[in-house]
Amino acid sequence: MYADRDKGAENRKKNAAAMVDTFYDLVTDFYENGWGQSFHFAPRGRFETFRESIVRHEHYIAAKLDLNENDYVLDVGCGIGGPMRNIAQFSSAKICGITINEFCFNNRILTIKKRYQVKRGTEITRKAGLEKLCESRVMNFLDMKFNDNTFDKAFAVEATCHAGNREDVFSQVFRVLKPGGLFASYEWVLTDKYDDENSKHKKARQQVEKGNALPQIITANRAVEAFKNVGFGKQKKFKKKVLSAVDVHKYATDNGQLPWYGTLEAKCSVENLPQSYIATVVTHTLCSVMEKIGMAPKGTTRAHEILLEGRDGLVASGQLGIFTPMFLIIGRKPSKKT
Ligand SMILES: C[S@@+](CC[C@H](N)C(=O)[O-])C[C@H]1O[C@@H](n2cnc3c(N)ncnc32)[C@H](O)[C@@H]1O
């Protein structure tokens, strides 16, 4: 892909699962407070609120999968379940979300009950009255504990980028899908514009990787290749192709919508307040004070700094057009007949 691999990236790749778990211990609260229950980006219509755009992006993937009340669906890397709940309400499908992160922390001075992803997700699902349709489980998506052929369909929203090797997660999804089942994934990938010789490109890529605990960002072509390598779309009528692969960002902005990174640029407005510069400074000060007095775990302030670096990288890579977090790939597991 690109020759340069910094040492940090190699380590992140080797220890992907453990590192992601620790990362989400520290950042889940920041995400929920600053972004909401869904931890992903979305293009935004000019008369649409931030929240509406997020939900529409989730409904889009549900519509592409043609989800309905007869489907049992896997959400690969579900966070605290925002997309799962919105999609279940939209489609009436039954959804099982998996995430590697469940941690609770006690420090030596205080026992603070923290509800990380599975606990927090389950609690919100119960409050929403959606427990018949949605379930959050702790599970490594590189080593799924489901039987073969369990799910009718599967989706992943900006999660598989955490795998050291995409084939490792896609092959698990392929195994647990029933024959004929569909898998749709919003992938974080580099676009064709990325040039590893360009120092601005390289810096932005490295900031995104570091700030989001990613082992490495792969190219769009590589992600499609990984889909094919594990068997998606290998059916005569699809001519050995994945069903579809499209950059939703390009499609949306070519048709008048605002880019996904617009909210991160955070011009200060009432709606953007949680993502604004002022909120960032307040949060950072709070983190530092809470960590000093033992009310937040060690590393919280550093985690916030890393997130901010990630944000700068995301905005730069979005503006440069070298990266998209919504390269949507949809593949089908071959049915037995063909
Ligand atoms: C950016 S968040 C997206 C969460 C969710 N899809 C959403 O949009 O709100 C990435 C998610 O992937 C999960 N994840 C990363 N590596 C994982 C692994 N090896 N197994 C299971 N989940 C993992 C993280 O715990 C986190 O929930």
Side-chain angles (χ1 to χ4, degrees):
M1 189 164 73
Y2 32 79
D4 150 80
R5 295 274 7 118
D6 58 277
K7 232 185 184 166
E10 289 305 334
N11 285 338
R12 291 196 294 277
K13 188 169 178 180
K14 236 186 275 161
N15 306 313
M19 182 189 67
V20 163
D21 191 18
T22 311
F23 175 77
Y24 281 104
D25 288 343
L26 294 169
V27 305
T28 295
D29 288 349
F30 291 131
Y31 278 11
E32 188 180 351
N33 294 326
W35 208 254
Q37 292 173 19
S38 297
F39 300 167
H40 62 81
F41 296 104
R44 187 164 162 185
R46 287 173 195 261
F47 300 115
E48 201 171 35
T49 64
F50 169 68
R51 165 97 187 121
E52 283 166 353
S53 70
I54 290 285
V55 175
R56 178 168 60 86
H57 197 56
E58 295 163 357
H59 289 178
Y60 187 73
I61 209 169
K64 288 283 175 192
L65 287 172
D66 193 21
L67 296 187
N68 62 66
E69 65 277 13
N70 300 316
D71 288 328
Y72 184 37
V73 182
L74 175 66
D75 178 356
V76 182
C78 65
I80 58 170
M84 168 166 69
R85 282 183 292 276
N86 292 329
I87 289 175
Q89 285 185 138
F90 175 69
S91 65
S92 302
K94 200 170 174 201
I95 308 179
C96 177
I98 59 170
T99 169
I100 201 156
N101 181 265
E102 182 205 35
F103 204 74
C104 276
F105 94 87
N106 302 307
N107 72 17
R108 275 176 297 141
I109 308 164
L110 285 168
T111 300
I112 299 169
K113 202 176 168 212
K114 282 276 174 192
R115 300 182 190 90
Y116 285 95
Q117 294 187 343
V118 167
K119 284 189 167 209
R120 182 73 186 127
T122 305
E123 179 183 74
I124 305 172
T125 296
R126 190 173 34 77
K127 281 191 186 152
L130 283 167
E131 56 278 61
K132 284 192 192 141
L133 291 185
C134 301
E135 181 195 10
S136 299
R137 289 178 64 172
V138 186
M139 202 181 289
N140 186 347
F141 58 43
L142 304 172
D143 180 25
M144 293 187 200
K145 303 299 177 199
F146 301 112
N147 291 333
D148 296 358
N149 310 330
T150 298
F151 295 96
D152 298 295
K153 290 163 188 171
F155 65 85
V157 180
E158 301 186 17
T160 59
C161 49
H162 285 295
N165 175 18
R166 285 296 208 286
E167 274 87 347
D168 292 346
V169 53
F170 293 164
S171 60
Q172 287 287 308
V173 178
F174 187 84
R175 182 182 67 74
V176 302
L177 270 180
K178 292 177 186 168
L182 280 174
F183 174 42
S185 183
Y186 283 128
E187 290 291 322
W188 279 33
V189 294
L190 297 169
T191 68
D192 290 345
K193 283 194 185 160
Y194 180 75
D195 173 7
D196 204 49
E197 302 298 313
N198 181 317
S199 58
K200 276 190 190 161
H201 291 192
K202 202 155 135 179
K203 181 177 174 205
R205 168 180 65 76
Q206 287 173 335
Q207 282 180 315
V208 175
E209 288 173 348
K210 196 170 159 206
N212 294 277
L214 300 181
Q216 65 177 355
I217 309 176
I218 60 172
T219 60
N221 289 341
R222 174 73 196 95
V224 171
E225 183 183 84
F227 249 68
K228 289 182 189 172
N229 283 348
V230 305
F232 282 110
K234 280 196 177 170
Q235 199 156 12
K236 267 192 191 146
K237 67 177 170 185
F238 301 130
K239 295 184 186 146
K240 298 203 173 202
K241 282 189 176 154
V242 290
L243 288 185
S244 78
V246 68
D247 183 1
V248 175
H249 160 74
K250 186 168 179 332
Y251 178 76
T253 49
D254 282 353
N255 290 292
Q257 294 180 36
L258 304 169
W260 57 270
Y261 51 85
T263 306
L264 283 181
E265 288 169 321
K267 321 265 181 311
C268 196
S269 68
V270 174
E271 200 202 351
N272 273 348
L273 199 59
Q275 295 98 25
S276 68
Y277 179 72
I278 297 170
T280 305
V281 174
V282 172
T283 309
H284 203 69
T285 312
L286 264 177
C287 288
S288 166
V289 172
M290 285 174 72
E291 186 175 335
K292 276 197 187 111
I293 61 175
M295 280 187 69
K298 211 163 178 292
T300 303
T301 317
R302 181 69 195 124
H304 192 244
E305 272 164 22
I306 291 172
L307 277 183
L308 295 181
E309 196 178 337
R311 182 195 62 184
D312 292 346
L314 285 163
V315 171
S317 67
Q319 289 170 343
L320 291 164
I322 59 167
F323 165 81
T324 176
M326 50 192 70
F327 188 72
L328 179 61
I329 311 181
I330 307 176
R332 188 186 293 278
K333 178 170 174 172
S335 56
K336 279 184 183 144
K337 281 177 243 144
T338 44

